Amino acid sequence: MINHPYGTKEYYASHFSDILSDVGDGNSPDANRPNVVAIIRGFQLAIESWLQYHESAVTSYKELRDGIIAEDLALKAYEEEMSLPPIPDIPSVLK
């Protein structure tokens, strides 16, 4: 097998050819049908797997973003509080 540069049409053609070679290893269309179904189902499983992966990644990115925003808001509130002038002592008759 020739190794074509990643991402080229030749690269993908080589991989698809490998899969397609499994379609017709039987002696008749009826004998090949289980291979056809397995290839289609395998492609569907791969899509579902990648969707789950990316959905999980999106959820994690949102949690990270929300945590950064919450932390940033807390820091801004702290910085604002620290920048206020000190509260003067209130005179008291109890002293």
Side-chain angles (χ1 to χ4, degrees):
M1 182 160 118
I2 299 172
N3 289 326
H4 298 285
Y6 177 77
T8 63
K9 62 184 178 186
E10 293 82 8
Y11 173 86
Y12 291 110
S14 174
H15 286 278
F16 290 135
S17 288
D18 188 41
I19 293 169
L20 291 172
S21 68
D22 292 343
V23 170
D25 66 353
N27 293 326
S28 70
D30 287 338
N32 292 330
R33 197 157 289 114
N35 295 355
V36 170
V37 171
I39 290 168
I40 292 168
R41 294 293 183 230
F43 190 58
Q44 289 171 329
L45 286 172
I47 291 169
E48 287 301 319
S49 173
W50 279 104
L51 282 171
Q52 289 173 359
Y53 169 84
H54 287 291
E55 287 169 354
S56 175
V58 166
T59 299
S60 297
Y61 284 129
K62 286 179 178 179
E63 288 177 2
L64 178 62
R65 177 203 59 203
D66 294 346
I68 289 171
I69 290 170
E71 182 68 25
D72 188 51
L73 291 174
L75 286 172
K76 285 179 182 174
Y78 175 77
E79 288 169 344
E80 181 182 350
E81 182 181 337
M82 293 297 104
S83 69
L84 295 173
I87 298 174
D89 290 334
I90 300 174
S92 172
V93 293
L94 300 175
K95 287 186 181 180

